[in-house]
Each structure stands twice: as structure tokens, then as C-alpha cells.
Amino acid sequence: MAGFLACFLIFIVSGLCVESKYMVYNTAQGVVPGKLNVHLVPHTHDDVGWLKTGACVQNVLDSLVPALLADKNRKFIYAFFQRWWRDQSEAVQNTVKQLISSGQLELINGGMCMHDEAAPHYIDMIDQTTLGHRFIKAEFNITPRIGWQIDPFGHSAVQAYLLGAEVGFDSFFYGRIDYQDRAKRKNEKSLEVIWRGSKSLGSSAQIFAGAFPEAYEPPDGFYFEVNDDSPIVQDDINLFDYNVQDRVQDFVNVALAQANITRTNHVMWTMGTDFKYQYAHTWFRNMDKLIHYVNQDGRVNALYSTPSIYTDAKYAENNSWPLKKDDFFPYADRVNAYWTGYFTSRPALKGYVRVMSGYYLAARQLEFFKGRSVARPTTDTLADALAIAQHHDAVSGTSKQHVAFDYAKRLSIGYKEAEEVVAASLACLVESASKSGCGSTGIKFQQCPLLNITYCPPTEVDLSLGKKLAVVVYNSLGWKRDEVIRIPVINENVTVQDSSGKEIVSQLLPITDASVAIRSSYATAYVGESPNVIPKYWLAFAASVPPLGFSTYIISSTKQKAANLVRGTLYTSKGSGNDTIEVGPGNLKLIYSESEGKLTQYVNSRSMIRASINQSFSYYSGHDGSGNSQTPLTILRGPLYDEVHQKINSWIYQITRVYKEKDHAEVEFTVGPIPIEDGIGKEIVTKVSTTMKSNKTFYTDSNGRDFLERIRDYRADWDLEVNQPVAGNYYPINLGMYMKDDITELSILVDRSVGGSSIVDGQLELMLHRRLLHDDGRGVGEALNETVCVLDKCTGLSIQGKYYLRIDPLGEGAKWRRSLGQEIYSPLLLAFTEQDGDSWTKFQAPTFSGLDPSYSLPDNVAILTLQELEDGKVLLRLAHLYEIGEDKELSTMASVELIKLFPERKINTIAEMSLSANQEREEMEKKRLVWKVEGSSHEEPNASRGGPVDPVKLVVELAPMEIRTFIVEL
């Protein structure tokens, strides 16, 4: 004890002898010409939802504001902002506005989240970015300059040109590229490039883009969170761990090493990573010291910076940069570590996001036709839910299970409110002969979000008591559509009348036991109780619907068999003999082998195609699960379409439909629960095989927009070392994929994001479902083992989906891919209401079109957005659907007549905007930085673009792949 007291007294005395001083660090340094400038960019990466929902955002921002206020030279960048902002006091909001105005706090990317780049559809990427950009413009009157996609697992061409250049970004930074690609780029000093993601728009949509030397982390030894292992900068000379000279030397060494792999005298250090700056003071205190002492040393120049400052410094060097085309998929971060399974992970969530996306597009149109409500309900809640669902751990399927549930729950809440908007809008429109508002209406429309599991209470009513069922079919596309509608019913003697009261042909097919089993289990899981009615039949009829409009169909009961109702015939194969079975009531015939129960030929009498074809299932795991077992066929035939039912095994069921008026096959699959009793996780794939000589080449879409050429075991940017011949050849599919030879082309379109490839010539494969038993060691901490629990019984998740198949003569498949692709994304919207009385319908307006009756959009143009904004103005976004050279007739300049798009309204003003509608297009183009590309061979002729909109003629021109955005005042 005496020894302890002596030591304690010595410590106090020695402490009193030290001269007290307050150190002021010089952090004001800017860029110094002629020196190596090290741009310290303080940042964090707070996922909207990965391990938690919105983890750490509150802590980071609460800590950050006082840290920035402590020194006006400190800087920080942030992307995910809106939710925190809403919870702040007016005083805090004013402080933050000052920090943003001064440039200390820079808002980058600016969307509602940092979206994924593999799984989202381009329309969703645009919508979520627009929502965020317009929020930032309204609150802070700024337009973000920088794309900051540091964590998505690979990077898409659409992100570079569409969500980069076309939203007005000056540069785009990203973190994850293939380890082989990164190594080569370091050697060639080509981590920073000019990226031309669109062959149609070329240099007019290029962007300066940069990958970091090692993801988005600080250099080793420069992590400064409270509990990090890196040595702090200790500048108290009286302490034993004083290390200023050592830390300065470490800094200079790393800076010079990075300069050796970077062009110009500017390098960026990303000072932060996941969930950092929860105690911001520790980071800034150490960076203050580094800047002060490194600049005193003088060998390099250190400064607080942002990506905007860094971009401007790079641009000022007037350098030429390497050219990058295509994309950065697939991504591997080391040998045998391809991040490609997530292209399919959580297929039910991916399907739900896609369904909600198409619904949101239609709901906004109907909200516009009725007139946006000042109060709720609106489509805004669904907009928010869809926006955050595009996050790179949401629709990607890479979050923890409880976080995935949260995303789905938010979508469901948003849907319920948007459902009210749709119902009210349709009730208004069917009751109003004009399109200019409506009063109150007693019509109550219901919808069927669970129709995919054969659950639709509004249609499962007993019509034999004299009631009629009115079905309103809404078409959100700009051209007329003729499609078959299928709904479950309980009555077998029914008749269907169209909008004019004419009875039309309908078809009745039995609902299979497999569908009833899925319905019973999953309806109980979703609505909390077992359905008390079991429908017996699918009623099908052909609907013809005008552009941006609806048609009405009336279903009623008859006492005897209706003349135009055809009951489908049923045939079950015996599985013997060498007979073949021909399926299809129209031009397209699918030929099956009865003995093997397999598809063997595809025949189209219109296009004169006759091709050998085979379709099978298998799975990837420790061993291949494919087999050659015989599959009995059940054939259901009718005048509108034929069905082929195949029970592949106890957990895979498939229905193939061939429609009379369509030249493609629709394949509906139900997969699950995937068995794991053998202790093996499985990734389920379907393979479509032909005799085509595809020469290792196939084509996949980029976020549903451009198609990119893929060559098996090959990368255009480096000599690929093949170590994963399957995973290393998988690519994200959002719209579809195709392959071709000298004669024909085979196309497959999908209803959600999946992974796909061509592992064998003449064959395309899609991964449909995954169930895994082990965590992948990438931070989630749980296996991808989705289950559904009903009445305390949990089983593996079953999923149902569709893909679409067609074979065309060479060069003729694009029109089908583009037109049906739009129809898959925007399915016909169905709404139901019961009616009494003898008249065939009580609606004043049983049909409606938002366009001029004589007008429809060109076949190569789609309306991406028709939305009334809060101020009453209208956001209009039009897209050309084709690339240059994709189709000999439709890859041409298109025109849209706005007067016919708004036939009963006068257009007062129209302003063309950036893609995200936060600045006028002309202003954006004036500010655009023009970068130089290495080599004269990369100079291209100016890309075609639509001209200015004449204020009198009001005609919008669209060049191939061009999207134009307008704010219209009516």
C-alpha cells in the first residue's frame, strides 16, 4: 500500500510539472498544385436495412453535427438522410442546412437509398432516385453532383449512363469490382475511367467513374472508431506512445503507393466504412492531426475533401482517361467467391417488389385521372416502401430474415393505401362520363393481390342467386392490349359480356389439387384464417383494353350451359408407346413425347419455325440433382388456350400455357418446399435446351433496359482466369435473356429478377429458387433458409413464378422481347364489384381511355411516369424501348403528340427536366463536364437525341434508348 501511495504522489507531482496547452490544428489546406494531394473523404455506410432496419443512422448523424460545427474545415458526405431529418427540431434542421450550404456536409447519390444494381428494374431505380432528389431540392435547394454506389455487389451499365449521366452527376464512384479486374486496373492505372454504358447514347451519356483500390475502406492502419485497432495520432510528447513521425511516415507511404496506381496528382482516401462515425469526434480529431502534421512535413498535401472537390481537381488536370463499356458483372472478391447466387435469393420478395412496382405505375396514373387527394389516401406510402426496397440488401435478398420481413411489411402497408386510391379512382371514372373530376360514388371496388395463389374472394361469390360480377380491366400501357383474363369462380354455368353487352367466348378449366393446396396454406399464412370457400374452376375470357384505359366485363350465372362457355377437355398421358402430343390452339404448337413426358419440339406455322427443344429441372449443390424420370402429362384444352400440367416431383409443379392468339409459351412453376432432409442446400434451375449453335454467346439485359453480350468464360477487360465455370458465368436477369445462331434466336423473359446463364451451347438456364443451410461468411450471420409458418407448423418457402419462351427467325425477336416485356412489367389491373338488376351494367362509362380516342403511343414508346405532384403539376416520363440496330423498323426516332396524350386538358407550360426531375435539362447540360477519352479511335459520332419540344406543336421526339422527363402544367 505504501508503494502504491508513493507512485500515486509521483504521478500527481509529475503531472503538475507539465505545461498545459491547447493545440490548434491547421486543417484549412486546400489543393496544392504540383504536389500529391491526398483527399480525405470522411464518410460512413449505414445500410437502410441489412442486419437491422436503418441501423446506426441516428447515432451517426447525432454525433456528426457537433463534430462538424467544431471546425469549419471539416467535411462529411452522406447519402441516407430523409428518415433522420423528419425527426429533428427546427433548430437542428437550420444548423444542418447551414452545414450543407457551406459545403461541409455534402449530400451525395441523393436517392432514398443506395440501390442495388443487379436486381432492381430501371423504372424502380429512376423512381427511388427521383423521390430522393426532389426531397433534397425542396428542402435544401441543391442538386447532388456525385454518384456514390460503394457497396452494391457489382455495377450495371444502366447505373452508369442512366442513373449517372442522365441525372446530372459529374462523376460516379463504386466499390466492388472483380478482384482480377481490380488487379489489372491497378497495374494499368485504370481504376478511374470514362464509362459509356449505352451503345445507343454513346458519349452523350458518358461519365467519369472510379473504383477504389480496396473497396470503400480507409487504408490499413487508418481506422479511428473508438474501438478500432489502428494507432491514434498521439502528439503529446510526454506520453510513451508519442508517434507523430511514425504516423506521418505511414501516411506518406500509403499515399505514394496509391499514387503509383492512380493518374494525376490526386488520390482519394475513403475515411470510413460500415456504421462508422457513431462517435465522430475520434475520427475528426485524428484526421485533424494527420492533416496538420503531414502538411508540416511537406512531402505530400493532405486536405479535407469531398467527391465533388476531388472530381473538380481531376477535371482541372485536363487528362485523358481509359474508356469503359458494358458493366462490372459478375463480381468476385477473391478466388472461388462469386457473388452471383443473390441474383435469385429471396425470389418471393423479388417477385413482390416487381408486382408492387407495376402496380405503383398504374396507381399513379389512376390517381392523376381522378385528381390527387390533398389528404390520404395517396400513393406516397407505397412510393416510400418501394424506394427503400431497392436497397442493395433488400431486393437483392442479402439481408437478415427479419429485415426482409420488414421490407415486405412496408410494401404491404403501402399497397393497402394505394389500393384505396385505385378503387376510388375507378369508381369515379366508371360513374363519370367526363374526365374532369367526380362526386361521391357508392361503388366499392375490390382487388385480388393474392390471385397468384388462386385466392380472390371478390370472384368467389355465388352468382346463382342473381348477382352479377363486374370486372374492370385497366391497361397502364400506351397501346391497346388483347389478353386472356383468368379468375377463380365457384359456378360452372356462367356467361361473360363485354363492354358493349355482347356475350363473348369464355373457357372453364378445373383448378388443380396442387393449386388448392398452395391456396389453402398460403392464404391462411397471409390473411390469418383458412378460406371458407374453395373455387372449382378457372374462368378465362379474352379482354380487349384501350391504351391508358379500361374495359368492363360482366359475369353472371345462367340456369343452363351458356352458348359461348367452353369447358376445357382433359387428357392424362399413359406414359407408354411412342406417341407425341401436340398442344396449342393457335399458330404455336408445342410437341411432347408421351412416353417421356417431355417437351421435344417448338413449331410456329406463322413464322415457319420448327425447332427441337427440351426443358428440364436440376439443382446445384454437392451433387447434381437432375434426373431422367418419366413425368406424366395432364393436358387441358380449350378455345382460348391449352395447358400442360407436369408434376416433376413432390416439390416441383409446372403448368405450360399456349394461347391461341399468342406466339409464345407461358411457363408457370411452383417450387418448394425444397427438401433439406439430406443435409444439402439446393439451388433450383430450369434449363431450356436446343440444337442452336450459339458459340458460347448469349445476351442478358441491364436492369430491364439495354441488352449486353455475354461470352462464356470471357471478359472484355482482362484475360479471365476461370475457376468457377458456373458461378463465374451467371448474370442478373430482369427482363430476359436470349441466344442466337445463323438461323434463329431463342428468348426467355422473366417476371422478376433472377440469375441466368448459358453454361452449354444451345442452352439457356434460369435459377428459380435457393434454400441453403450454411451462412456464407459475408456478415449476415444466418443461412438463406426461408420458411413459412401456418398454425405453428413451419415448412420451407414455396414460390410460384412465370417465364415466357419464344423462338423467332434471326433478327425478329426484339419486338416480342420489348413489347411483352412491358406487358409483364405492367400486367392488366383487375378490380371487381357486385351488381344487382337486369341491365348488363350500371356504369355510366363502362370503357375509358386517357388518350385521344384516335391515338395510341408508337410501338417503341412507353409511359414510365404519369403522376400528379403535390403542387398540382404533372410529372411525365417517356421512354424509347429499343436500342440502335435492335429492330429494323422500331430502332428509329419516335414521336409522341402531347395534345393527344392530354386530350381534355390544355397544356399551359412544359419544362424538360433531368431524369430525376430536380433540375431543368438545359441547365444540367450547361453544367456537364466534358471529359477526354484516350485514343482517337474512341471518338464516336454524336448520338441521336430528340429535339426541343415546340410549345405550339407539343410533339416529343425520342431517339433509341432515350428517356425524356417533363414537368407539365395543365
Side-chain angles (χ1 to χ4, degrees):
M1 174 64 85
F4 171 78
L5 289 173
C7 292
F8 184 66
L9 290 171
I10 291 169
F11 176 78
I12 292 176
V13 172
S14 64
L16 292 174
C17 294
V18 174
E19 180 183 354
S20 176
K21 64 177 182 177
Y22 175 73
M23 184 68 185
V24 177
Y25 300 104
N26 181 7
T27 60
Q29 189 66 277
V31 168
V32 176
K35 269 192 177 181
L36 175 60
N37 292 273
V38 183
H39 295 249
L40 302 183
V41 177
H43 81 105
T44 188
H45 180 64
D46 298 332
D47 294 297
V48 172
W50 173 38
L51 307 179
K52 304 176 184 177
T53 54
C56 307
V57 173
Q58 181 83 37
N59 295 343
V60 169
L61 289 169
D62 286 350
S63 172
L64 175 66
V65 172
L68 291 177
L69 290 173
D71 182 346
K72 67 179 182 180
N73 298 309
R74 291 174 173 175
K75 292 181 170 34
F76 199 81
I77 61 173
Y78 209 77
F80 174 52
F81 196 76
Q82 289 84 345
R83 191 177 298 174
W84 176 86
W85 176 258
R86 290 195 293 262
D87 294 336
Q88 303 311 301
S89 67
E90 184 178 353
V92 171
Q93 288 185 347
N94 288 335
T95 299
V96 171
K97 287 181 178 180
Q98 292 172 8
L99 292 172
I100 292 173
S101 178
S102 69
Q104 279 191 267
L105 178 59
E106 179 174 338
L107 301 180
I108 55 169
N109 234 23
M112 297 293 285
C113 68
M114 185 181 294
H115 56 227
D116 187 51
E117 296 183 41
H121 194 277
Y122 75 94
I123 295 178
D124 288 326
M125 298 164 82
I126 293 170
D127 283 343
Q128 83 86 13
T129 303
T130 299
L131 201 61
H133 279 195
R134 288 182 60 80
F135 163 82
I136 290 172
K137 184 69 173 179
E139 290 288 344
F140 310 108
N141 195 32
I142 62 170
T143 56
R145 293 183 56 199
I146 306 298
W148 189 255
Q149 290 286 115
I150 59 176
D151 198 29
F153 322 121
H155 303 283
S156 75
V158 158
Q159 174 64 38
Y161 86 85
L162 201 58
L163 280 304
E166 292 293 285
V167 298
F169 287 160
D170 289 325
S171 60
F172 165 46
F173 296 95
Y174 43 94
R176 297 184 183 273
I177 65 174
D178 190 279
Y179 73 99
Q180 295 181 34
D181 192 11
R182 194 188 303 271
K184 182 172 183 286
R185 290 182 181 281
K186 285 182 178 180
N187 289 334
E188 296 178 347
K189 292 190 174 183
S190 61
L191 285 169
E192 295 173 328
V193 298
I194 303 302
W195 193 350
R196 289 181 188 164
S198 169
K199 61 176 177 282
S200 298
L201 300 179
S203 60
S204 74
Q206 69 185 21
I207 192 168
F208 178 78
F212 305 125
E214 303 295 338
Y216 51 88
E217 314 269 336
D220 286 344
F222 291 91
Y223 291 74
F224 297 120
E225 200 76 9
V226 173
N227 296 322
D228 282 336
D229 295 331
S230 300
I232 63 170
V233 182
Q234 180 55 266
D235 59 349
D236 187 341
I237 200 167
N238 297 291
L239 298 180
F240 295 131
D241 59 346
Y242 175 82
N243 63 359
V244 170
Q245 287 79 15
D246 291 342
R247 294 269 63 195
V248 168
Q249 189 60 52
D250 292 340
F251 189 101
V252 172
N253 290 344
V254 174
L256 292 175
Q258 189 168 336
N260 286 331
I261 60 173
T262 309
R263 304 188 186 202
T264 77
N265 286 330
H266 298 275
V267 297
M268 182 197 298
W269 286 16
T270 47
M271 298 301 292
T273 186
D274 293 3
F275 314 133
K276 301 302 183 183
Y277 288 82
Q278 296 189 63
Y279 186 54
H281 183 62
T282 63
W283 283 90
F284 283 112
R285 180 171 55 193
N286 282 281
M287 286 188 289
D288 287 350
K289 294 178 180 182
L290 284 172
I291 291 171
H292 180 85
Y293 291 116
V294 165
N295 290 342
Q296 279 189 350
D297 174 83
R299 285 176 286 174
V300 302
N301 180 56
L303 66 150
Y304 277 123
S305 188
T306 67
S308 290
I309 295 172
Y310 179 77
T311 298
D312 289 339
K314 287 283 188 177
Y315 185 70
E317 295 287 328
N318 199 29
N319 207 45
S320 294
W321 301 92
L323 182 66
K324 164 67 180 174
K325 296 185 177 181
D326 56 64
D327 62 4
F328 286 100
F329 285 115
Y331 161 66
D333 61 349
R334 60 175 183 259
V335 177
N336 296 323
Y338 278 97
W339 297 45
T340 52
Y342 83 94
F343 300 158
T344 296
S345 294
R346 302 196 189 281
L349 178 62
K350 283 178 164 68
Y352 193 29
V353 169
R354 185 60 53 82
V355 168
M356 289 297 98
S357 178
Y359 188 85
Y360 175 54
L361 183 148
R364 282 181 291 172
Q365 293 178 1
L366 288 166
E367 186 176 42
F368 162 73
F369 290 133
K370 176 181 179 292
R372 179 184 168 93
S373 298
V374 177
R376 299 175 73 171
T378 68
T379 56
D380 294 349
T381 305
L382 182 56
D384 287 341
L386 265 172
I388 64 170
Q390 308 312 315
H391 177 66
H392 59 274
D393 286 309
V395 68
S396 61
T398 55
S399 71
K400 279 184 175 291
Q401 182 64 65
H402 76 92
V403 179
F405 285 152
D406 186 83
Y407 284 123
K409 184 175 182 178
R410 292 178 186 277
L411 287 170
S412 178
I413 293 170
Y415 167 79
K416 291 302 291 183
E417 186 174 344
E419 187 181 47
E420 294 181 48
V421 174
V422 168
S425 298
L426 289 174
C428 166
L429 293 170
V430 299
E431 286 291 271
S432 175
S434 70
K435 301 164 189 169
S436 55
C438 64
S440 60
T441 174
I443 298 175
K444 302 295 182 184
F445 278 107
Q446 294 179 275
Q447 295 160 65
C448 292
L450 300 180
L451 189 58
N452 65 312
I453 59 168
T454 324
Y455 182 69
C456 184
T459 70
E460 299 165 15
V461 294
D462 188 355
L463 299 178
S464 64
L465 302 177
K467 290 185 176 181
K468 297 180 180 180
L469 181 68
V471 184
V472 172
V473 183
Y474 179 73
N475 170 23
S476 59
L477 298 184
W479 57 74
K480 177 175 172 287
R481 291 165 74 173
D482 296 295
E483 293 185 24
V484 172
I485 305 298
R486 301 170 59 250
I487 56 175
V489 296
I490 62 174
N491 301 101
E492 60 178 319
N493 291 324
V494 293
T495 183
V496 181
Q497 294 170 285
D498 66 12
S499 297
S500 67
K502 176 185 175 183
E503 186 176 328
I504 62 173
V505 173
S506 57
Q507 177 173 321
L508 212 60
L509 291 180
I511 294 175
T512 63
D513 292 342
S515 296
V516 171
I518 288 285
R519 166 197 163 90
S520 177
S521 176
Y522 279 77
T524 302
Y526 287 130
V527 302
E529 59 184 13
S530 299
N532 54 17
V533 174
I534 299 178
K536 298 178 181 179
Y537 308 100
W538 282 108
L539 173 65
F541 58 91
S544 182
V545 194
L548 255 68
F550 60 75
S551 297
T552 302
Y553 294 85
I554 303 298
I555 302 171
S556 56
S557 176
T558 60
K559 294 183 179 179
Q560 55 189 10
K561 180 180 177 298
N564 285 308
L565 175 68
V566 179
R567 290 183 177 84
T569 60
L570 185 149
Y571 169 79
T572 302
S573 67
K574 302 294 190 295
S576 60
N578 297 317
D579 292 341
T580 60
I581 302 173
E582 184 180 275
V583 176
N587 293 324
L588 176 61
K589 308 291 184 186
L590 298 183
I591 312 298
Y592 288 80
S593 165
E594 183 169 12
S595 60
E596 296 181 343
K598 290 184 177 181
L599 176 64
T600 60
Q601 283 193 308
Y602 178 107
V603 180
N604 189 321
S605 58
R606 181 193 59 80
S607 62
M608 305 302 292
I609 290 288
R610 188 177 190 92
S612 297
I613 189 169
N614 174 266
Q615 184 254 339
S616 61
F617 286 89
S618 63
Y619 64 81
Y620 292 114
S621 66
H623 66 278
D624 186 355
S626 60
N628 294 311
S629 60
Q630 177 181 319
T631 305
L633 303 175
T634 299
I635 315 295
L636 299 174
R637 301 183 186 274
L640 299 178
Y641 66 94
D642 290 354
E643 285 187 345
V644 180
H645 290 244
Q646 294 171 282
K647 186 175 182 180
I648 309 301
N649 56 34
S650 62
W651 48 276
I652 299 178
Y653 194 90
Q654 177 172 286
I655 303 172
T656 304
R657 298 187 182 95
V658 183
Y659 294 89
K660 180 180 180 181
E661 302 298 334
K662 305 292 183 182
D663 286 355
H664 65 263
E666 173 187 293
V667 182
E668 179 180 291
F669 55 87
T670 303
V671 178
I674 298 173
I676 54 172
E677 292 77 14
D678 56 4
I680 299 174
K682 300 172 182 66
E683 299 174 310
I684 312 305
V685 300
T686 187
K687 301 176 181 180
V688 177
S689 304
T690 71
T691 57
M692 292 172 60
K693 297 176 175 60
S694 55
N695 193 28
K696 295 187 175 183
T697 304
F698 58 107
Y699 302 82
T700 68
D701 69 273
S702 178
N703 302 111
R705 193 79 180 130
D706 308 65
F707 277 94
L708 303 181
E709 181 183 72
R710 311 299 192 183
I711 302 175
R712 191 164 60 252
D713 296 335
Y714 173 80
R715 303 291 187 271
D717 291 340
W718 79 95
D719 293 330
L720 176 66
E721 179 184 329
V722 179
N723 49 60
Q724 284 285 323
V726 176
N729 286 299
Y730 251 71
Y731 292 89
I733 315 293
N734 275 280
L735 168 60
M737 62 191 306
Y738 69 96
M739 64 181 179
K740 60 186 180 181
D741 61 12
D742 294 336
I743 303 171
T744 55
E745 51 189 79
L746 165 67
S747 304
I748 295 178
L749 301 184
V750 297
D751 68 346
R752 71 197 69 191
S753 173
V754 298
S757 187
S758 176
I759 305 300
V760 176
D761 276 4
Q763 182 185 87
L764 296 178
E765 73 172 64
L766 298 174
M767 184 177 291
L768 306 178
H769 198 0
R770 309 175 79 209
R771 189 181 187 188
L772 307 177
L773 302 181
H774 303 285
D775 176 51
D776 62 5
R778 287 298 196 270
V780 177
E782 64 183 35
L784 182 66
N785 184 9
E786 296 182 278
T787 58
V788 172
C789 299
V790 180
L791 303 177
D792 298 324
K793 179 183 179 182
C794 298
T795 59
L797 175 71
S798 294
I799 60 106
Q800 184 186 85
K802 294 178 183 178
Y803 66 88
Y804 306 81
L805 171 72
R806 175 160 158 157
I807 301 177
D808 283 288
L810 181 64
E812 296 182 16
K815 185 170 184 178
W816 177 75
R817 290 190 292 268
R818 294 299 184 181
S819 59
L820 187 69
Q822 289 300 117
E823 293 173 5
I824 295 169
Y825 177 83
S826 292
L828 294 171
L829 188 156
L830 306 181
F832 310 92
T833 188
E834 292 181 23
Q835 293 185 344
D836 296 314
D838 296 329
S839 61
W840 71 272
T841 178
K842 293 185 175 181
F843 297 158
Q844 292 185 36
T847 62
F848 165 84
S849 176
L851 306 186
D852 184 285
S854 65
Y855 188 66
S856 64
L857 288 188
D859 290 344
N860 50 6
V861 174
I863 296 177
L864 304 188
T865 311
L866 178 60
Q867 176 182 4
E868 183 177 343
L869 302 173
E870 294 89 340
D871 59 5
K873 295 180 181 178
V874 176
L875 176 60
L876 173 67
R877 193 175 279 120
L878 301 167
H880 198 297
L881 297 174
Y882 288 76
E883 300 176 68
I884 56 170
E886 189 175 9
D887 185 89
K888 54 191 174 185
E889 296 176 354
L890 296 171
S891 293
T892 55
M893 188 72 73
S895 298
V896 175
E897 300 178 50
L898 295 185
I899 292 175
K900 294 183 178 179
L901 200 60
F902 302 100
E904 295 192 5
R905 313 228 190 158
K906 182 179 184 296
I907 297 176
N908 294 322
T909 62
I910 180 168
E912 182 164 12
M913 310 296 288
S914 65
L915 183 69
S916 57
N918 65 342
Q919 58 185 315
E920 291 201 7
R921 178 89 193 190
E922 185 178 9
E923 175 190 355
M924 183 191 83
E925 293 293 350
K926 287 179 180 177
K927 296 186 298 183
R928 189 187 294 278
L929 302 182
V930 181
W931 299 84
K932 294 181 180 179
V933 176
E934 280 185 338
S936 58
S937 62
H938 297 309
E939 295 304 317
E940 300 177 351
N942 290 332
S944 177
R945 293 271 188 171
V949 178
D950 185 289
V952 177
K953 294 181 180 178
L954 293 171
V955 174
V956 176
E957 296 177 331
L958 293 132
M961 279 290 107
E962 188 174 20
I963 298 177
R964 300 184 70 176
T965 303
F966 302 92
I967 298 292
V968 182
E969 185 174 0
L970 299 172

